[in-house]
Amino acid sequence: MAQIDSLFVTRLYRANLSEHGPKIDPDEMENSCLVIAEDDEAGQDWCEENGYPGYTSYASLTDLPWRFPIFADLVKSLDAHVAAFAKDLELNLDGRELKLEDLWINILPEGGTHASHIHPHSVISGTTYVSMPDGASALKLEDPRSAMMMAHPPRNKDARQELRTFVYQAPKVGELLLWESFIRHEVPLNMAEEERISVSFNYAWA
C-alpha cells in the first residue's frame, strides 16, 4: 500500500495573547495605539512620503515599551509565546535566545493594503490584533515554495489547507499569530469602514 508523508512543514502559531504573561486590556491597547499615531509626526510624514496607507510606527519609533507601560507588558507576553513556538519548532538555539528586534503599530484605513513581503533578518515574526471590525482584512500567507513551482498546475479550490498556495487567517481582537520570518505575507484590501489596528514584531537570534 502506498505511503504518502508530509515533508518540510510550515508551522503557524495562533493563540490568545492572555495565555501567557500579563493581561492586556484591548481597549487600553487600542487607545494607546491611536494616541501614539496622533502624536507621531515623524511617522505620519514617513507614511505620506512613502505612500503608506494609514499609519505605521515602523520607521519612526523604536521605544514603544518605554513610552507606554502596556507595551512593556505586551513584550513580556510576546516573549513567552515566542519561546513556546520556538520549542514547537524544535529550534537548536545553541545557548542563545530569540530576542525582540522590532515592535511597531499598524493602522490601516478603509481601502488600505499592505503589500506582500518577508522579514529577511529575523527568525520569528508575528502580529497581535487590536481592532478587527467587520470586513477587516485577513492575513494572507503564501506557500514559500510557490516561486519554485514554475509549470506546476494550480491547486483545487477546496484543497487541504496544508496544500494551498495561499492561506487566509482572520484573527480576533486579543489573538496573535506567529510564523517563521521567511513566510511571505500580506494584508489584502481592508473592506471595513473602520480602521484595522494591529501591533507587529520580529524576533532575532541573539
Side-chain angles (χ1 to χ4, degrees), residues 26-40:
D27 293 332
E28 183 183 352
M29 176 62 77
E30 181 175 358
N31 183 65
S32 298
C33 290
L34 293 171
V35 168
I36 290 170
E38 185 176 352
D39 291 343
D40 181 16

Side-chain angles (χ1 to χ4, degrees), residues 38-57:
E38 185 176 352
D39 291 343
D40 181 16
E41 294 183 4
Q44 295 169 18
D45 291 343
W46 184 90
C47 292
E48 185 174 349
E49 291 168 3
N50 290 273
Y52 186 93
Y55 167 79
T56 180
S57 66

Side-chain angles (χ1 to χ4, degrees), residues 91-135:
L91 299 179
N92 179 2
L93 300 178
D94 194 29
R96 293 149 64 190
E97 296 180 298
L98 295 179
K99 291 187 177 180
L100 182 69
E101 184 177 38
D102 305 298
L103 178 76
W104 67 96
I105 298 166
N106 309 291
I107 300 178
L108 201 66
E110 181 182 11
T113 64
H114 193 179
S116 178
H117 62 287
I118 59 172
H119 297 212
H121 302 296
S122 306
V123 177
I124 291 176
S125 298
T127 300
T128 185
Y129 294 84
V130 180
S131 177
M132 289 289 285
D134 291 341

Side-chain angles (χ1 to χ4, degrees), residues 2 10 12 16 26 31 33-34 37 46 49 69 71 77 108 115 139 142-143 151 164 166 172 175 189 196-197 199:
T10 298
L12 176 68
N16 289 319
N31 183 65
C33 290
L34 293 171
W46 184 90
E49 291 168 3
F71 282 94
S77 180
L108 201 66
L139 180 70
E142 181 180 332
D143 183 343
R164 296 175 188 170
F166 299 102
K172 299 176 182 178
E175 287 189 323
L189 188 72
R196 177 191 192 275
I197 304 176
V199 178

Side-chain angles (χ1 to χ4, degrees), residues 6-204:
S6 294
L7 303 178
F8 312 119
V9 175
T10 298
R11 306 288 279 173
L12 176 68
Y13 178 102
R14 181 170 181 165
N16 289 319
L17 194 59
S18 60
E19 287 184 21
H20 291 297
K23 302 300 181 186
I24 306 295
D25 182 86
D27 293 332
E28 183 183 352
M29 176 62 77
E30 181 175 358
N31 183 65
S32 298
C33 290
L34 293 171
V35 168
I36 290 170
E38 185 176 352
D39 291 343
D40 181 16
E41 294 183 4
Q44 295 169 18
D45 291 343
W46 184 90
C47 292
E48 185 174 349
E49 291 168 3
N50 290 273
Y52 186 93
Y55 167 79
T56 180
S57 66
Y58 182 79
S60 55
L61 298 176
T62 60
D63 57 356
L64 291 178
W66 177 83
R67 289 173 179 265
F68 281 73
I70 194 170
F71 282 94
D73 286 344
L74 176 61
V75 171
K76 293 175 185 176
S77 180
L78 295 180
D79 285 347
H81 282 285
V82 169
F85 189 35
K87 183 177 180 180
D88 173 82
L89 292 170
E90 300 193 32
L91 299 179
N92 179 2
L93 300 178
D94 194 29
R96 293 149 64 190
E97 296 180 298
L98 295 179
K99 291 187 177 180
L100 182 69
E101 184 177 38
D102 305 298
L103 178 76
W104 67 96
I105 298 166
N106 309 291
I107 300 178
L108 201 66
E110 181 182 11
T113 64
H114 193 179
S116 178
H117 62 287
I118 59 172
H119 297 212
H121 302 296
S122 306
V123 177
I124 291 176
S125 298
T127 300
T128 185
Y129 294 84
V130 180
S131 177
M132 289 289 285
D134 291 341
S137 307
L139 180 70
K140 181 180 179 181
L141 301 153
E142 181 180 332
D143 183 343
R145 303 167 301 171
S146 61
M148 296 174 281
M149 289 184 177
M150 297 173 286
H152 199 284
R155 304 286 186 189
N156 293 327
K157 291 183 179 180
D158 59 351
R160 301 193 306 274
Q161 179 171 271
E162 69 269 22
L163 292 177
R164 296 175 188 170
T165 303
F166 299 102
V167 174
Y168 294 82
Q169 295 287 317
K172 299 176 182 178
V173 169
E175 287 189 323
L176 84 156
L177 299 176
L178 302 176
W179 58 88
E180 291 181 87
S181 301
F182 61 79
I183 303 298
R184 187 170 292 279
H185 55 285
E186 66 180 283
V187 181
L189 188 72
N190 182 23
M191 302 296 288
E193 294 181 0
E194 300 174 21
E195 293 172 322
R196 177 191 192 275
I197 304 176
S198 61
V199 178
S200 296
F201 46 88
N202 289 322
Y203 277 73

